[in-house]
Amino acid sequence: MSKINCIGVLTSGGDAPGMNAAVRAVTRAAIYNGKKVKAIYRGYKGLIEDEIREFQSQDVSNIIQQGGTILKTARCKEFTTPEGRQRAYEVLQKESIDALVVIGGDGTFTGARVFAQEYDIPVVGIPGTIDNDVCGTDSTIGYDTALNTIMDAVDKIKDTASSHERLFFVEAMGRDAGFLALNSALASGAEAAIVPERETSVAQLDQLIANGFRKTKNSSIVIVAEGGGGAQGLADRIHKLDPNYDVRVCILGYMQRGGSPSAYDRILASRLGVAAVDALLDDQRNIMVGVQNDEVVHVPFSKAIKDDKPLKDDKYQIIQILSI
Ligand code: F6P
């Protein structure tokens, strides 16, 4: 018999579509198993400041389709200090919360890992970030929705690019990771993807664009990851190299984080929410639940926050082959 009677749930870091579906799944799975569930608002900040209330099943009604997070979110500096974590532990004791489910990305799990090492509190993580930069899971909640949002935006940009015969640099989110840029480039038939994981010189990029633009095309799209050098800077350099290009830049920005989650993200969030509660009741601790080859897996936090989730090399080549 598990000693857990009450599970706390929070969302932290950048919001991602599908976080609400995960909160719903955690809440209902906990109640289904006869446990109490307490919602912690504003991530670790709300934990430290005791912004907590018990949830009933109806508190998560009608949220599976909503983007953002009803629990609100924050990036909390205080939780990176021993004093902040001590206060968080005191609040958990005061609220009689025996275990935590934290929904977020690598920053969220880094905090959870340290906290779980310092205090005797079981923590299970659910990967939620549009960037998909969490190791040990094929996808993070929110990534599929954001990818589709970018693809839809690029489809629209292509209409005007082709009408004006322009070269567009479109900036996608991803501070440290190129999953969104690389895969949206593939999905939208772009000429190239510029990502932080792989160096591409301006001369190489010029060559890639020239392959299609000068020979057969009258417009081109390059997707640049936020962490890949910045779309504006690259556009300026390409224009300098070849002033004949009529260049425009479109920074997609925070629209990528919003919107109703895709079916894939809702299903993923629902499975991982239930899996997180099951893991806690099965005395698992300090792990992330993820998905690999459509199977739910348990991944230690130390592996999930490793810095090297690789992009698939063959995708660069496919983009190049298909852009002639
Ligand atoms: O982690 C998700 C993400 O959207 C990154 O792609 C982006 O760099 C960052 O969050 C932006 O964070 P903030 O909301 O703090 O500006």
Side-chain angles (χ1 to χ4, degrees):
M1 269 290 277
S2 164
K3 284 193 234 77
I4 295 170
N5 289 314
C6 178
I7 296 172
V9 57
L10 60 81
T11 51
S12 164
D15 63 307
M19 278 184 164
N20 282 327
V23 170
R24 169 182 179 268
V26 170
T27 302
R28 294 210 167 147
I31 293 170
Y32 176 85
N33 283 288
K35 308 296 172 188
K36 272 190 184 179
V37 58
K38 287 196 175 178
I40 302 164
Y41 288 87
R42 297 180 180 79
Y44 295 125
K45 184 168 178 290
L47 176 55
I48 291 168
E49 293 173 5
D50 199 358
E51 289 188 75
I52 296 174
R53 91 172 165 87
E54 190 174 341
F55 259 17
Q56 308 300 337
S57 183
Q58 62 271 23
D59 287 307
V60 292
S61 290
N62 216 15
I63 64 166
I64 194 169
Q65 76 278 27
Q66 287 175 27
T69 161
I70 62 160
L71 298 186
K72 314 294 180 200
T73 186
R75 301 189 196 275
C76 177
K77 281 245 162 64
E78 218 186 327
F79 197 69
T80 63
T81 68
E83 298 74 27
R85 293 191 295 275
Q86 162 82 35
R87 174 78 194 124
Y89 183 64
E90 286 162 9
V91 171
L92 287 179
Q93 285 188 307
K94 174 178 165 262
E95 293 281 348
S96 303
I97 294 174
D98 311 306
L100 273 182
V101 175
V102 297
I103 305 167
D106 59 348
T108 304
F109 298 159
T110 303
R113 185 178 176 221
V114 177
F115 188 54
Q117 278 163 355
E118 287 172 345
Y119 298 97
D120 185 27
I121 174 103
V123 186
V124 169
I126 298 180
T129 164
I130 64 165
D131 290 354
N132 197 32
D133 57 347
V134 175
C135 294
T137 186
D138 292 343
S139 190
T140 55
I141 296 167
Y143 169 63
D144 180 67
T145 307
L147 192 54
N148 278 286
T149 300
I150 299 169
M151 185 187 71
D152 289 346
V154 175
D155 287 351
K156 294 190 170 86
I157 292 168
K158 284 179 96 166
D159 289 344
T160 180
S162 124
S163 303
H164 282 268
E165 302 183 285
R166 282 174 171 159
L167 165 61
F168 262 85
F169 285 80
V170 179
E171 188 172 297
M173 269 187 162
R175 196 173 18 208
D176 309 307
F179 289 95
L180 285 173
L182 180 66
N183 288 293
S184 64
L186 202 45
S188 55
E191 271 54 53
I194 307 296
V195 297
E197 292 87 343
R198 191 181 174 118
E199 212 167 301
T200 310
S201 69
V202 176
Q204 280 171 321
L205 178 59
D206 186 52
Q207 194 53 51
L208 287 173
I209 299 165
N211 272 348
F213 206 119
R214 292 205 192 101
K215 286 189 201 142
T216 54
K217 296 183 180 175
N218 62 12
S219 68
S220 279
I221 306 278
V222 176
I223 315 268
V224 186
E226 188 186 352
Q232 186 66 59
L234 269 179
D236 291 345
R237 288 161 75 189
I238 287 289
H239 187 63
K240 219 170 165 188
L241 206 66
D242 193 337
N244 289 323
Y245 286 131
D246 189 7
V247 181
R248 290 292 185 276
V249 172
C250 181
I251 296 171
L252 297 177
Y254 288 89
M255 64 170 294
Q256 296 163 89
R257 287 232 295 249
S260 180
S262 65
Y264 180 89
D265 278 332
R266 296 181 197 196
I267 294 165
L268 180 64
S270 301
R271 291 179 78 191
L272 295 185
V274 171
V277 171
D278 283 348
L280 283 173
L281 299 185
D282 197 26
D283 286 333
Q284 302 274 340
R285 47 170 62 208
N286 314 333
I287 52 150
M288 174 193 83
V289 288
V291 71
Q292 291 173 14
N293 301 321
D294 208 26
E295 296 293 339
V296 171
V297 292
H298 294 174
V299 183
F301 278 142
S302 55
K303 284 215 172 112
I305 57 186
K306 260 183 24 202
D307 213 14
D308 62 350
K309 187 172 181 183
L311 291 173
K312 292 250 176 291
D313 262 347
D314 62 320
K315 290 184 179 171
Y316 298 99
Q317 222 205 334
I318 295 171
I319 290 172
Q320 210 179 330
I321 291 170
L322 300 182
S323 75
I324 55 170

